[in-house]
Amino acid sequence: MKAQSFWLVNRTYLLKIVLPALLTMVLFMVSLYQIIIPRFETIIMDRKREMTKELINSAWHVADHFHRAAQQQRMSDDEARRRAIEQIRHLRYGDESKDYFWITDFQPVMIMHPFREELNGSDLSNFLDSRGKKLFVEMVAIVKRDGEGFVDYTWQWKDDSTRIVPKLSYVRPYKPWGWIIGTGIYIEDVKAEIAGLESNIVTISLWITVATALLLLFMAVQNLRSERRRYLAESNLREAKERYEALVEASTEGLLMVLDDGQVFCNRTLQGMLGYTEEEARKLDLKSMFPSLTDAQILGLSGNTSPLDLEHLHIESTLKTKNGADTPVLLTPSPVQLFGKQGLVVIVKDIRHHKQIVTELDESRERFLALTNRLSLGVFRTEAGGDMRFVEANAAACSMFGFGNQEDVQSADMRGLLDESHQFTALEADLDVHGFVSNRILRCRKVDGNALTLSLSVVVVRDESGDRRYCDCLAEDVSEVQRTERVAGKLMTDLQMPLVQLGQPVSSFVRALRSCDMGEPLGKVVRVMDRMRVDMMMVTSGEGTLIGYVDGDAVQRYILASENMDVPVYQVMQAPIQTVRSSATVFDVLDASLEKDVPYFGVKDENGALVGSVAVKELLTAGVRNQLYFLQRVKQAESIPEIRQCREQLQMYVRMLIESGAGVETIAQATTLISDSIRARIVQLAIAELGEPPLAFALIALGSEGRGEQTLATDQDNAIIYADTEESADAAVKDYFLRLGTFVCGALDNVGYDFCKGEVMAKNPRWCTSLRGWKDHFRDWVNTANPQDLLEVNIFFDFRHVYGEEALTDELRDYLRRVTSGNNAFFVYLTQNALKIKPPSWQFKAVELLDIKSAMLPLVDLARIYALRHKLPQSNTLERMRALRQKDVLSAAGVRDMTYAYAFLLTLRYQHQARRLADNATPDNKLHTQELSETEKLVLKRVLSQIDDFQKKLSLDFRGTVQT
């Protein structure tokens, strides 16, 4: 009967669902054929035109290359022209390598055509295509009028002279020789590509339409089922009315129901407390029952308060009985919905016995306060929530915080007294989890603003229902020396390993790649995961492309909602899967996890191939959580002075790492992690002030920053790469990024990273340019620079991505690998410059100064030159040495000696700078040899003598002679 009534009421429900769905699919198909496919055709044609222009540029540069060679008198002009023609004649491209270039002059006369050799040397003024167009004359006209441009005509199909087809060509003049260089695309090729694309789009669209229709059908069925269940539930609710009323009447506590239409109902227990009959109780209103309630409380109990406002709400009042007596009661309201009406159910509890207990506790409290006022320790109570507002405090606490009286105490709170907001956040978190805090060192401010350091212990006091009511606190004023000793001792034990782990490559934590196809049944995947004892598997498409992942939590949630284990796994998977490079640090992964709220990442190698996965929870040790939280302070800093303060504190940590004897790679990882975090935050603040950047960009670090080898005495070396843009918009784009670079460099100087004396900074217009501009720089340095030029730009070959679009940095690095490949002159020049730097004399005098930075440069240069020659992606010196050993470029013994020499010199450098900081002096690189022990002097002499041997090997490998 219920089911029949449901279908009568909802007979149009199905039509309301199906009709919009059908209209949506029709709209999709119309948009596909009228908008999307025509747009794709336009895009493909535009892309072909752009490709043709770029191909012409390649042939043009060949001519320009030989022309410049003739100008430099490396060959005659005729030889240059001949060699240029021969090289362009053999240039091919396209799927069959049959697309080509030709050259005419402005008469026009055919200078070179690779497939129509009978035309070479011929006058083309009257040459017509199959449609009667003087195509070569038109090419000359376009070049003279527009400088360069497109011409359409008909021509033979590649090298098949029997087949004439439409063709679109692009011509560009090479003016020094009076040439016009041209190449073109066959329109039939473009049409075939467009037809293939349209076929794929139509096929995919049909599948999408079918899938959408099935999904909409499934949703319609589910909605109908839900609507039927709702209808049945309402019927059952009405049937349960009598049972509900019987349950209310059986309650041993007073119950009061107030509905939104003003109706008030009392159960028998409350009627007995009031002394009224049921009929008399129906005529009562809230004010007559509870005369001590305020108007606002009456309004709330009348149903005019949101459910959230009623959570944990307790109201003490008095209940006016029929005989005029006042009974203390506790009112606990809860929102209800009954028969479509909103209302409240109020539990009315007699608390006369509770009041008696409170009175006795107040007497005990007075005795307790009398005792605590005799203590020298601060004893005080605060509210448990909010800002922990003070409730009361003993005399010692009032004196400690500078309160004049109890009124001052009750107007203050712990949040306002703490020096830094993160201390209060951490205190709240620990109280939420543990319910107490013991001997927590906190930096506070007294009421008069003076600094105060406390050792604070806190215990949460809960009420009868288990809710937090108060915090009882015991505070001791500790001296600055005691605080410093405790903090330093804890930092020495807790800092080193977590900070190092944050700087480690995530490759150390990569799991082997385990995957399943998206169509595999969920049950099968779960069994495989159980057998392999893994909690996550990657999900791939039919072509092997990674599209998501499935983990134990997702499976469990699905099983709770549905018992169907035959569904394809893609219906349960999480997507998309985020990926990171294997060279990314643990901090990079954790930072990305916090930002994007993902528990797993796919890991790709330097070539972009997926090699495994990493679980965020496996990276989060307790120590790492603490250091991550501290580094997050940098990321959340809202001003440059706040970042400077964080940097000074973090620099103290690095100094302690040095003094504790940590390895140089540990210290370098720490300094790099800190400086990268600071630079990233400064860029974010710059963007917040200047507005969003007009194009993708990347901030890169150069020199020691780029190698990840910063010390405590370092200036800033950085640059900006932004995406290529049209020349008309380049001025406005460059202006934005120059302002961004100026902001970043100025802020870094303010924070403590001095300006580069050589102006190698992003605020310099030369080092703030597009990707195309950077490629031009590197091409000039590699192909045309002399040794002196390379000596000045060595710093740019050690660049590393810091912030922004990493693909720009990767593309520039790939370009550097290509442009240096096989360029022996470039490596000879680099080697020549490296050999100019001689290691210091090892015949020390008592007060001799050693420039430790200069002493390390030969090793840095050696690793850089070999790494560039063998196309290694690493920029760090020690990592380069290890990679060269793996490729058998350097021997194991040689790498061992180089690594030891470099690590030893860097250790001396770090230790010297730490001593300078301890003496309140500015860190530098001038080491007094008298600071060294006799053992250190002996090792230093040996290391410096070895550097000469390393340079001899470098000279032999790249110049073919031994440096003398």
Side-chain angles (χ1 to χ4, degrees):
M1 186 64 182
K2 291 180 181 179
Q4 293 176 353
S5 300
F6 168 75
W7 289 113
L8 290 174
V9 173
N10 295 276
R11 57 192 176 187
T12 63
Y13 186 75
L14 186 60
L15 181 61
K16 293 179 181 179
I17 296 175
V18 173
L19 184 59
L22 292 175
L23 291 175
T24 300
M25 288 189 287
V26 170
L27 180 62
F28 171 72
M29 297 303 296
V30 171
S31 300
L32 176 66
Y33 285 98
Q34 297 300 318
I35 299 175
I36 298 176
I37 290 179
R39 179 59 178 162
F40 268 110
E41 292 176 354
T42 302
I43 290 172
I44 290 174
M45 196 63 194
D46 289 344
R47 187 185 66 187
K48 291 292 184 179
R49 288 173 177 267
E50 188 65 26
M51 178 197 73
T52 308
K53 292 175 66 176
E54 291 299 325
L55 289 169
I56 281 294
N57 290 338
S58 300
W60 188 94
H61 281 292
V62 171
D64 187 60
H65 170 75
F66 285 102
H67 175 65
R68 286 193 296 164
Q71 287 182 321
Q72 295 170 2
Q73 297 184 350
R74 288 186 284 167
M75 61 182 72
S76 66
D77 188 68
D78 290 340
E79 175 66 11
R81 291 173 185 247
R82 185 187 65 78
R83 293 178 64 178
I85 289 172
E86 285 305 309
Q87 188 161 341
I88 295 174
R89 180 195 303 277
H90 293 95
L91 288 179
R92 297 290 187 271
Y93 62 94
D95 295 338
E96 300 176 354
S97 295
K98 291 185 178 181
D99 293 291
Y100 56 90
F101 299 85
W102 72 87
I103 304 172
T104 69
D105 61 16
F106 281 79
Q107 185 174 346
V109 171
M110 179 63 73
I111 296 174
M112 184 279 295
H113 193 292
F115 291 144
R116 296 286 301 273
E117 295 184 359
E118 71 277 6
L119 295 178
N120 292 341
S122 301
D123 186 343
L124 305 174
S125 301
N126 297 315
F127 189 93
L128 303 175
D129 68 358
S130 62
R131 294 181 296 191
K133 173 182 285 190
K134 293 184 178 181
L135 61 152
F136 292 105
V137 173
E138 184 172 338
M139 292 177 187
V140 174
I142 286 176
V143 168
K144 289 181 177 179
R145 184 181 69 248
D146 301 329
E148 52 189 303
F150 288 95
V151 180
D152 62 284
Y153 54 95
T154 60
W155 192 259
Q156 73 175 42
W157 174 260
K158 299 180 181 178
D159 57 352
D160 185 358
S161 60
T162 63
R163 182 180 176 188
I164 305 300
V165 295
K167 189 172 184 178
L168 177 68
S169 293
Y170 186 78
V171 290
R172 178 181 177 183
Y174 186 69
K175 294 181 179 179
W177 285 344
W179 287 1
I180 298 175
I181 304 173
T183 189
I185 57 174
Y186 292 98
I187 303 301
E188 290 190 0
D189 281 348
V190 179
K191 290 181 178 179
E193 183 175 346
I194 292 174
L197 177 62
E198 290 179 354
S199 175
N200 290 337
I201 291 176
V202 170
T203 301
I204 293 172
S205 301
L206 288 175
W207 281 110
I208 292 175
T209 303
V210 171
T212 303
L214 293 175
L215 181 60
L216 291 173
L217 177 61
F218 175 77
M219 292 172 60
V221 173
Q222 293 300 315
N223 286 337
L224 287 172
R225 290 177 179 174
S226 299
E227 185 69 14
R228 184 172 184 273
R229 287 195 294 268
R230 184 192 64 78
Y231 181 83
L232 295 176
E234 289 180 353
S235 300
N236 293 333
L237 183 62
R238 287 190 293 271
E239 294 173 358
K241 175 182 178 182
E242 291 80 8
R243 294 194 297 271
Y244 175 79
E245 291 178 348
L247 180 62
V248 169
E249 293 300 336
S251 174
T252 58
E253 292 183 340
L255 291 177
L256 175 69
M257 181 181 293
V258 184
L259 298 180
D260 55 9
D261 58 0
Q263 292 180 318
V264 178
F265 303 94
C266 305
N267 70 343
R268 289 193 179 89
T269 303
L270 182 57
Q271 292 171 16
M273 294 169 63
L274 289 166
Y276 289 104
T277 64
E278 181 177 355
E279 189 64 29
E280 291 172 334
R282 289 181 183 273
K283 300 177 182 179
L284 298 175
D285 57 20
L286 293 175
K287 190 63 178 178
S288 60
M289 289 186 186
F290 310 104
S292 62
L293 291 178
T294 64
D295 292 341
Q297 290 171 330
I298 292 290
L299 188 64
L301 292 176
S302 300
N304 293 287
T305 305
S306 69
L308 290 177
D309 295 333
L310 296 173
E311 188 175 2
H312 306 306
L313 179 63
H314 303 285
I315 303 174
E316 287 193 18
S317 181
T318 55
L319 180 69
K320 178 69 73 174
T321 64
K322 186 176 181 178
N323 59 14
D326 290 329
T327 302
V329 293
L330 180 68
L331 307 180
T332 306
S334 298
V336 295
Q337 184 175 8
L338 189 64
F339 313 126
K341 297 180 180 179
Q342 300 292 332
L344 293 174
V345 170
V346 184
I347 300 174
V348 183
K349 184 177 181 179
D350 189 338
I351 57 172
R352 281 176 291 185
H353 179 65
H354 172 76
K355 284 287 187 181
Q356 181 180 356
I357 294 175
V358 169
T359 302
E360 295 175 355
L361 287 175
D362 286 341
E363 294 174 357
S364 298
R365 173 177 167 277
E366 294 297 329
R367 291 193 295 271
F368 173 74
L369 289 177
L371 175 63
T372 58
N373 283 332
R374 295 185 177 91
L375 297 175
S376 60
L377 297 176
V379 181
F380 56 95
R381 168 172 283 188
T382 71
E383 296 176 353
D387 297 336
M388 292 182 65
R389 181 171 294 278
F390 281 77
V391 176
E392 55 191 351
N394 70 344
C398 290
S399 174
M400 190 179 297
F401 291 109
F403 297 132
N405 50 50
Q406 286 295 323
E407 292 182 1
D408 292 341
V409 171
Q410 294 173 359
S411 65
D413 55 68
M414 279 300 298
R415 183 190 292 272
L417 292 174
L418 289 179
D419 219 15
E420 298 176 352
S421 60
H422 73 88
Q423 295 183 110
F424 185 80
T425 303
L427 179 65
E428 272 193 321
D430 286 343
L431 291 177
D432 284 339
V433 175
H434 305 295
F436 70 92
V437 167
S438 179
N439 297 323
R440 174 69 57 84
I441 301 297
L442 298 174
R443 294 178 297 280
C444 306
R445 291 282 175 183
K446 295 183 180 181
V447 175
D448 58 9
N450 290 326
L452 173 67
T453 302
L454 294 180
S455 173
L456 183 69
S457 298
V458 184
V459 176
V460 175
V461 179
R462 300 183 183 274
D463 58 18
E464 295 175 349
S465 61
D467 297 327
R468 294 170 51 182
R469 293 297 301 276
Y470 302 108
C471 290
D472 285 341
C473 310
L474 185 66
E476 178 183 4
D477 188 355
V478 297
S479 68
E480 183 69 18
V481 173
Q482 290 172 320
R483 183 195 66 81
T484 302
E485 289 178 352
R486 279 195 289 269
V487 172
K490 189 173 188 303
L491 285 173
M492 291 295 291
T493 56
D494 294 349
L495 171 68
Q496 183 169 332
M497 288 310 298
L499 194 56
V500 172
Q501 187 174 338
L502 284 173
Q504 284 184 340
V506 75
S507 56
S508 305
F509 301 89
V510 173
R511 302 175 173 182
L513 185 63
R514 297 181 175 91
S515 62
C516 61
D517 187 84
M518 61 182 288
E520 292 285 348
L522 178 60
K524 179 180 178 180
V525 174
V526 170
R527 289 192 296 273
V528 171
M529 291 172 63
D530 184 61
R531 184 174 66 254
M532 300 176 70
R533 297 184 179 180
V534 296
D535 59 355
M536 187 272 287
M537 288 189 74
M538 299 290 187
V539 180
T540 59
S541 67
E543 297 78 21
T545 304
L546 178 66
I547 60 173
Y549 70 91
V550 62
D551 63 1
D553 292 339
V555 171
Q556 186 175 7
R557 288 193 299 269
Y558 180 80
I559 292 175
L560 290 175
S562 172
E563 297 181 357
N564 183 11
M565 299 295 286
D566 294 325
V567 298
V569 71
Y570 74 84
Q571 294 187 15
V572 185
M573 73 178 184
Q574 309 293 306
I577 181 73
Q578 302 291 330
T579 61
V580 296
R581 295 281 183 89
S582 59
S583 59
T585 64
V586 171
F587 175 72
D588 294 334
V589 175
L590 294 178
D591 189 43
S593 174
L594 291 174
E595 181 179 344
K596 299 176 182 177
D597 192 27
V598 292
Y600 300 95
F601 287 86
V603 180
K604 294 183 176 180
D605 61 17
E606 294 300 325
N607 298 320
L610 191 69
V611 295
S613 65
V614 63
V616 172
K617 63 184 178 182
E618 294 178 4
L619 306 179
L620 285 174
T621 64
V624 166
R625 289 179 187 273
N626 293 336
Q627 296 305 330
L628 182 63
Y629 170 76
F630 200 87
L631 288 171
Q632 286 288 359
R633 283 185 56 204
V634 175
K635 185 176 181 180
Q636 296 168 1
E638 295 297 331
S639 66
I640 302 304
E642 188 176 352
I643 295 177
R644 182 182 182 90
Q645 182 182 20
C646 292
R647 193 246 179 179
E648 290 172 351
Q649 294 171 341
L650 288 166
Q651 194 172 34
M652 181 185 70
Y653 296 163
V654 175
R655 174 186 154 195
M656 285 189 292
L657 281 177
I658 296 171
E659 293 173 346
S660 68
V664 292
E665 289 192 87
T666 296
I667 301 168
Q669 287 173 353
T671 55
T672 300
L673 185 60
I674 291 167
S675 63
D676 285 359
S677 300
I678 289 173
R679 283 164 175 75
R681 184 53 184 160
I682 287 176
V683 175
Q684 291 169 349
L685 292 178
I687 292 174
E689 179 168 317
L690 301 177
E692 288 298 320
L695 293 172
F697 78 101
L699 178 72
I700 59 175
L702 308 167
S704 61
E705 293 180 49
R707 296 191 302 272
E709 298 165 2
Q710 277 189 303
T711 63
L712 300 178
T714 185
D715 54 7
Q716 50 175 297
D717 298 308
N718 51 59
I720 285 178
I721 310 169
Y722 55 84
D724 293 332
T725 183
E726 298 294 334
E727 291 184 2
S728 60
D730 188 64
V733 171
K734 190 175 186 70
D735 177 71
Y736 173 90
F737 286 111
L738 271 177
R739 288 188 288 120
L740 179 71
T742 301
F743 183 105
V744 170
C745 295
L748 285 172
D749 180 69
N750 197 332
V751 166
Y753 297 97
D754 296 337
F755 285 129
C756 173
K757 296 179 178 60
E759 289 294 314
V760 181
M761 292 176 289
K763 69 174 186 173
N764 186 335
R766 190 179 182 193
W767 312 129
C768 177
T769 187
S770 65
L771 179 61
R772 181 171 52 246
W774 277 106
K775 289 180 178 179
D776 290 342
H777 284 324
F778 278 102
R779 185 184 64 249
D780 291 342
W781 292 334
V782 173
N783 292 329
T784 63
N786 56 46
Q788 182 58 37
D789 292 335
L790 290 178
L791 185 61
E792 296 173 355
V793 300
N794 252 342
I795 188 173
F796 292 92
F797 294 103
D798 295 332
F799 63 89
R800 181 175 57 83
H801 181 80
V802 174
Y803 183 88
E805 187 64 45
E806 191 169 4
L808 294 173
T809 311
D810 292 340
E811 185 172 347
L812 184 59
R813 182 173 286 109
D814 290 339
Y815 179 79
L816 177 59
R817 292 173 187 165
R818 294 195 304 271
V819 78
T820 57
S821 180
N823 194 321
N824 294 330
F826 168 74
F827 289 105
V828 169
Y829 292 162
L830 281 183
T831 302
Q832 183 176 329
N833 288 335
L835 296 177
K836 291 178 182 178
I837 304 174
K838 294 296 184 181
S841 171
W842 52 271
Q843 297 296 333
F844 295 118
K845 299 178 181 179
V847 293
E848 185 177 358
L849 279 177
L850 173 66
D851 188 339
I852 195 72
K853 179 179 180 181
S854 297
M856 298 171 62
L857 285 180
L859 294 170
V860 173
D861 289 339
L862 181 147
R864 178 193 299 118
I865 293 171
Y866 278 108
L868 288 173
R869 180 62 177 270
H870 294 279
K871 301 180 178 60
L872 298 180
Q874 292 83 359
S875 59
N876 179 268
T877 299
L878 292 176
E879 291 178 359
R880 281 171 167 172
M881 291 178 180
R882 285 192 286 266
L884 290 168
R885 174 67 194 99
Q886 291 176 357
K887 293 177 72 71
D888 289 327
V889 176
L890 299 176
S891 66
V895 170
R896 182 178 64 247
D897 291 343
M898 292 177 193
T899 301
Y900 179 83
Y902 187 83
F904 177 78
L905 293 174
L906 188 54
T907 299
L908 292 183
R909 190 176 177 188
Y910 279 135
Q911 291 174 346
H912 166 69
Q913 293 175 1
R915 285 193 294 268
R916 296 277 295 175
L917 277 179
D919 296 336
N920 293 321
T922 302
D924 60 23
N925 297 300
K926 305 297 183 181
L927 173 66
H928 288 267
T929 56
Q930 62 186 6
E931 297 177 24
L932 304 178
S933 67
E934 291 301 317
T935 301
E936 288 174 332
K937 289 181 181 180
L938 290 173
V939 175
L940 181 58
K941 291 176 183 179
R942 174 59 180 164
V943 164
L944 294 179
S945 66
Q946 283 182 319
I947 291 177
D948 186 64
D949 296 335
F950 301 152
Q951 289 185 320
K952 290 178 180 178
K953 173 176 173 52
L954 181 67
S955 177
L956 184 61
D957 285 350
F958 288 89
R959 299 176 63 194
T961 60
V962 177
Q963 177 73 10
T964 58

